Amino acid sequence: MELDKFSYDNKIVRAFIIVTVIFGLVGMLVGLTIAIQLFYPALNFDFQYTTFGRIRPLHTNAIIFAFVGNAMFAGVYYSMQRLLKTRMFSDTLSWIHFWGWQLIILAAAITLPLGITTSKEYAELEWPIDIAITLIWVVFGWNMIGTILKRRERHMYVAIWFYIATFVTVAVLHVVNSFEMPVNWLKSYSFYAGVQDALVQWWYGHNAVAFFLTTPFLGLMYYFLPKAANRPVYSYRLSIIHFWSLIFIYIWAGPHHLLYTALPDWAQSLGTVFSIMLIAPSWGGMINGLMTLRGAWDRVRENVVLKFMVVAVTAYGMATLEGPLLSLKNINAITHFTDWIVAHVHVGGLGWNGFLIFGILYWVVPKMWGTKIYSNQLANIHFWLGTLGIIFWALPMYVSGVVQSLMWKEFNPDGFLVYKNFLETTVQIIPLYMIRAVGGGLYLTGAILMTYNLIKTAYSGKFIADEPAEAAPLAAVPAATSGGWHHRVLESKPVLFTVLAFISILVGGIVEIIPTFLIKSNIPTIASVTPYSPLELHGRDIYIREGCVSCHSQMVRPFRSETERYGEYSKAGEYVYDHPFLWGSKRTGPDLHRISGKYSDSWHYNHMLAPDAVSTGSIMPAYPWLFEQSLDLEQTAPKIRALRKVGVPYAEGYEDTANEALMKQATTISENLNMEGIEVAPQTEIVALIAYLQRLGKDIKSEKVAER
Amino acid sequence: MYKEILQNIDHVAIWPMISFFIFFSFFLCLLWWTFTVDRKYIRHMKEMPLENDKDNQLDLNA
């Protein structure tokens, strides 16, 4: 039989590998910086572009989309060509994908420190970048499906299924969650409000973890683990069952991020039930990975690639057991908003994604350069530094989460909160923050060693840009290995397969989200809840810009410990004008949903200028620039128009008089401050922020007064 | 409150039921297929990642 001669494109893989390593180092360095800022706030140099709230999203985006994303692409481009016995569909598309993605990362690296953000977690990038992501993602999918169609191997290995599911689902998630109304080129408001926005966001956030950090990496595991171990996967049957149950169940579990919030009960229960079910397919994957190494454990001891992979798969198993447990309401009541969740995420990020990436890199770089690893010993040191790093990272954060949570909830025999002052609970966990930073430092050091090792490896070999290969064309392959008609229909038709995967994730999404669309206008309206005043609106946008949401929640849960500390619990109807919602997911500082009236304007003024001077020992950063910068009143009208378009009932023509109302309110506040000896111009940003803070929870409080 | 709105849609409960049913049947078919599928096929699939290495002399881990 005549064999086709062709070559595998290694150049594109090399390009993605290089950026993976670079952005990995950058992302980890930013992470280490914010970890240190949490016990040494001065590390931001009182400089707005390095303040915690702005560079925390820089860290998460760099790690998720730049480090893990580029690694995913490197792995997909490497394995896909070989599994399908063909070069990628189009080199041009490969390179558009590569450069487009790097440009998006560059745009993120510029906009996030500038405070240009939607504030929705892992979807912070503003609308023009969102559009670019969509386009580049389509290029990736086009290239992938094209490659599948021109393959020389009749059957699609399970890794390819995972890649297809990743492409399809991330596309749907990204588009649905990015519906937003532009105010100008760099600012938009979420199309959704309050409860609805929260549900869509966490449907997205949860599934971004599932389909960006999990499914593609399971695909990579199914390719690279057998490769590195030189033995086939333990059970191919298990991999099929595990694949379909995973993508079907995952999509429903999103609401577990919103337990005890103002989200309707049925949605919360749905989230819990599906999260528990998720243990089965997740562990199916882990077992399949680990069992692949059965009888080869002696090799694991010697082979650093396998060591990394074993820890990665184990970390995956731990994180996917922990996740469902955290979805149980009684456990969630303790762990939510605490450092426990941060630890959970990092077992997944540092352990599963990080270690799998390191393992793959140590395997693939020598292969592509036709050589051996430069130093096995250095790689082993990296392994131990990384493992210690994970332990020193995660353990203190588990302790911190439990300690702080119990302190938040502790009552004395007279029925009062023991730690009425939130700050007392923060001070307790500062030493743990320091240990965590050490863990992060160890992990980063390991990654630096790897970089050196890989560069040396590359220099010791010769890069094989186009790896020659040969295979029979598809038409000539006899169908003898086929599994019968039913299977041929499913898996030899990639388009049909893609559609099926699409439908299975879509149904879950629709059943979960449609009901909230229907209730949009029916959330129990609270008569006293009115749209924000123009000044408050500017203040809210400053709150968004500065990323206050990364440390402060606006969601008082219905527990006595919270209503005692903060006041009345939060109702769905209070958020109907919140585009976007700002519930938050982590309480490094206290909840702010009921902050109005708790302090005077001058307290806020002094606190924002120097938190530590007002609350001794506070780790909240100072915001001196808010006292120098002025509001851009030109933006008031576009803001109001944009919000009206998404349903906020500002009267027609209100934008024409909005600035008058704004100045009036600002002048009142500035006069107020003046009486306490503070000189501040009404247009200063801090005035708007104070107006916003003094508004939070005010509507509900005035309702209470009216009832009496 | 939710129930009321949902009740306003005709027979709303039937949609989740139908989708659940579809998926459950899909799943049963899948199980049936995986356990009846040809062994040769499974073996072929399992070995797929390893195939390329036959002509690749540089096995770092060997």
Side-chain angles (χ1 to χ4, degrees):
Chain A
M1 187 173 26
E2 195 66 37
L3 290 183
D4 287 350
K5 289 202 188 313
F6 57 97
S7 64
Y8 297 128
D9 180 4
N10 275 349
K11 271 203 195 134
I12 187 73
V13 181
R14 176 178 63 178
F16 275 118
I17 287 178
I18 293 173
V19 287
T20 299
V21 174
I22 295 176
F23 290 129
L25 294 179
V26 174
M28 290 174 211
L29 189 66
V30 179
L32 185 58
T33 310
I34 54 178
I36 296 175
Q37 282 182 1
L38 279 182
F39 56 85
Y40 184 62
L43 189 64
N44 65 21
F45 310 111
D46 280 352
F47 190 49
Q48 57 179 319
Y49 309 111
T50 46
T51 188
F52 183 90
R54 294 197 193 179
I55 63 171
R56 186 228 178 227
L58 186 68
H59 163 64
T60 53
N61 278 276
I63 291 298
I64 298 174
F65 299 110
F67 173 55
V68 177
N70 279 320
M72 171 211 314
F73 300 137
V76 168
Y77 277 94
Y78 185 90
S79 60
M80 187 161 223
Q81 301 185 74
R82 284 154 179 88
L83 284 170
L84 299 174
K85 297 206 178 89
T86 175
R87 199 180 170 89
M88 288 305 291
F89 171 64
S90 154
D91 283 11
T92 316
L93 287 183
S94 303
W95 288 104
I96 295 178
H97 173 205
F98 176 79
W99 286 110
W101 195 257
Q102 310 318 313
L103 279 178
I104 287 166
I105 292 169
L106 182 70
I110 295 172
T111 54
L112 292 173
L114 286 174
I116 297 165
T117 171
T118 65
S119 86
K120 290 169 75 163
E121 276 184 84
Y122 325 126
E124 286 92 350
L125 303 178
E126 264 300 348
W127 67 272
I129 311 179
D130 279 341
I131 294 177
I133 295 175
T134 314
L135 296 178
I136 295 301
W137 196 255
V138 169
V139 169
F140 168 51
W142 178 9
N143 204 7
M144 187 156 85
I145 306 274
T147 309
I148 294 173
L149 291 177
K150 71 168 222 189
R151 68 196 190 276
R152 292 190 183 81
E153 161 61 57
R154 172 149 300 164
H155 303 291
M156 287 196 294
Y157 184 63
V158 67
I160 310 278
W161 303 17
F162 278 102
Y163 302 158
I164 294 180
T166 301
F167 164 66
V168 170
T169 316
V170 171
V172 175
L173 295 170
H174 173 69
V175 170
V176 173
N177 193 40
S178 299
F179 270 69
E180 48 218 352
M181 182 58 66
V183 174
N184 57 38
W185 278 100
L186 297 170
K187 169 84 192 160
S188 65
Y189 290 120
S190 173
F191 179 77
Y192 318 101
V195 174
Q196 198 188 352
D197 197 34
L199 191 65
V200 174
Q201 158 60 25
W202 283 111
W203 170 77
Y204 164 88
H206 171 75
N207 289 304
V209 172
F211 288 88
F212 206 89
L213 304 178
T214 308
T215 53
F217 281 80
L218 284 169
L220 296 180
M221 176 191 88
Y222 276 118
Y223 180 76
F224 286 100
L225 186 62
K227 272 297 219 214
N230 210 2
R231 44 178 50 230
V233 57
Y234 168 61
S235 164
Y236 195 76
R237 289 190 172 88
L238 179 57
S239 74
I240 296 171
I241 299 171
H242 142 69
F243 170 80
W244 284 105
S245 38
L246 194 79
I247 67 163
F248 170 47
I249 298 176
Y250 235 123
I251 205 86
W252 300 68
H256 68 206
H257 292 258
L258 300 168
L259 301 178
Y260 290 112
T261 66
L263 188 75
D265 274 343
W266 67 266
Q268 297 189 24
S269 307
L270 198 73
T272 302
V273 171
F274 276 87
S275 303
I276 300 297
M277 283 164 55
L278 208 44
I279 295 181
S282 303
W283 275 51
M286 173 190 72
I287 290 169
N288 220 354
L290 291 181
M291 290 296 277
T292 299
L293 298 168
R294 76 199 179 289
W297 288 98
D298 48 321
R299 293 189 56 204
V300 175
R301 230 173 299 134
E302 294 151 17
N303 184 328
V304 72
V305 172
L306 290 180
K307 274 194 222 172
F308 272 111
M309 291 185 176
V310 165
V311 172
V313 175
T314 312
Y316 174 65
M318 276 163 46
T320 52
L321 177 65
E322 190 187 3
L325 293 181
L326 293 173
S327 312
L328 296 172
K329 278 193 127 181
N330 43 1
I331 297 185
N332 190 276
I334 298 170
T335 55
H336 193 54
F337 289 137
T338 74
D339 285 319
W340 186 300
I341 305 305
V342 191
H344 169 62
V345 173
H346 281 79
V347 168
L350 301 171
W352 164 239
N353 294 116
F355 266 39
L356 197 63
I357 292 171
F358 299 148
I360 292 174
L361 290 180
Y362 280 123
W363 184 83
V364 87
V365 167
K367 272 254 162 345
M368 284 172 39
W369 271 264
T371 180
K372 280 196 184 320
I373 189 101
Y374 166 70
S375 164
N376 223 22
Q377 199 185 357
L378 264 189
N380 266 308
I381 297 178
H382 175 197
F383 173 77
W384 286 109
L385 281 178
T387 308
L388 277 179
I390 297 176
I391 294 170
F392 275 97
W393 206 111
L395 280 187
M397 289 298 95
Y398 285 125
V399 176
S400 160
V402 175
V403 166
Q404 197 178 26
S405 180
L406 294 181
M407 288 177 83
W408 288 343
K409 288 174 182 291
E410 192 169 333
F411 283 96
N412 63 23
D414 303 331
F416 294 108
L417 285 170
V418 176
Y419 305 98
K420 180 77 186 155
N421 182 357
F422 186 95
L423 193 52
E424 287 176 73
T425 72
T426 314
V427 175
Q428 281 296 322
I429 57 175
I430 298 252
L432 297 166
Y433 280 171
M434 295 176 177
I435 303 176
R436 182 256 304 261
V438 171
L442 290 174
Y443 194 90
L444 174 60
T445 312
I448 294 171
L449 290 186
M450 176 190 74
T451 310
Y452 172 76
N453 205 352
L454 291 181
I455 293 175
K456 280 292 205 183
T457 306
Y459 276 111
S460 76
K462 190 169 172 333
F463 181 59
I464 307 162
D466 297 289
E467 192 179 312
E470 51 182 31
L474 190 54
V477 179
T481 50
S482 119
W485 66 269
H486 37 278
H487 134 258
R488 266 207 304 278
V489 169
L490 185 65
E491 167 248 50
S492 62
K493 291 206 170 49
V495 178
L496 176 72
F497 178 87
T498 307
V499 171
L500 263 183
F502 179 69
I503 293 176
S504 61
I505 61 116
L506 212 58
V507 171
I510 288 176
V511 173
E512 196 183 304
I513 287 181
I514 290 282
T516 42
F517 275 85
L518 297 176
I519 55 151
K520 182 168 184 178
S521 49
N522 294 295
I523 286 182
T525 27
I526 304 174
S528 57
V529 175
T530 52
Y532 295 104
S533 78
L535 185 66
E536 291 155 6
L537 203 58
H538 276 282
R540 190 168 199 270
D541 285 340
I542 293 168
Y543 188 97
I544 290 172
R545 185 185 76 197
E546 300 304 340
C548 311
V549 70
S550 53
C551 283
H552 290 288
S553 59
Q554 290 187 18
M555 171 50 67
V556 182
R557 295 179 297 172
F559 302 131
R560 192 163 76 95
S561 58
E562 299 210 354
T563 51
E564 278 290 305
R565 183 181 297 280
Y566 303 118
E568 181 97 12
Y569 68 88
S570 304
K571 320 278 189 307
E574 292 181 70
Y575 301 102
V576 287
Y577 303 127
D578 282 13
H579 298 265
F581 81 116
L582 291 171
W583 295 2
S585 59
K586 174 70 179 59
R587 273 185 195 150
T588 303
D591 189 278
L592 296 180
H593 201 210
R594 300 282 178 249
I595 192 74
S596 85
K598 181 174 173 187
Y599 301 110
S600 66
D601 291 355
S602 64
W603 188 93
H604 285 298
Y605 185 95
N606 293 323
H607 181 251
M608 295 304 296
L609 190 57
D612 187 32
V614 176
S615 314
T616 311
S618 176
I619 56 170
M620 175 163 146
Y623 291 89
W625 56 92
L626 297 182
F627 299 74
E628 291 154 15
Q629 294 169 184
S630 293
L631 299 177
D632 181 1
L633 298 187
E634 301 267 295
Q635 291 302 322
T636 312
K639 282 180 186 192
I640 291 194
R641 275 196 295 268
L643 283 173
R644 189 190 297 119
K645 280 191 209 135
V646 293
V648 180
Y650 288 114
E652 212 53 60
Y654 181 64
E655 59 269 37
D656 302 332
T657 56
N659 273 335
E660 282 164 39
L662 182 151
M663 284 311 286
K664 197 160 155 235
Q665 191 182 3
T667 311
T668 315
I669 295 175
S670 112
E671 277 166 4
N672 225 337
L673 289 169
N674 222 320
M675 282 195 290
E676 307 201 33
I678 296 168
E679 204 64 62
V680 60
Q683 272 200 37
T684 319
E685 286 187 337
I686 183 67
V687 174
L689 186 62
I690 292 175
Y692 174 61
L693 291 172
Q694 296 292 27
R695 171 68 189 273
L696 282 172
K698 190 173 170 191
D699 296 344
I700 276 267
K701 285 180 191 166
S702 62
E703 175 128 309
K704 283 268 146 358
V705 174
E707 268 172 26
R708 259 181 250 141
Chain B
M1 178 270 302
Y2 258 84
K3 285 195 197 83
E4 283 167 33
I5 300 139
L6 293 177
Q7 274 158 6
N8 290 337
I9 315 170
D10 285 341
H11 309 296
V12 69
I14 203 146
W15 295 105
M17 289 306 286
I18 290 179
S19 53
F20 179 76
F21 182 74
I22 294 174
F23 277 104
F24 197 67
S25 345
F26 175 76
F27 217 77
L28 288 182
C29 296
L30 183 74
L31 280 181
W32 173 73
W33 175 68
T34 36
F35 285 104
T36 55
V37 67
D38 194 348
R39 271 167 189 279
K40 262 197 293 186
Y41 165 75
I42 293 284
R43 202 173 324 123
H44 174 68
M45 295 310 284
K46 275 177 107 163
E47 279 165 9
M48 208 180 270
L50 304 175
E51 275 173 22
N52 294 111
D53 267 359
K54 280 178 202 148
D55 47 16
N56 202 337
Q57 315 87 340
L58 295 155
D59 195 348
L60 162 86
N61 309 301

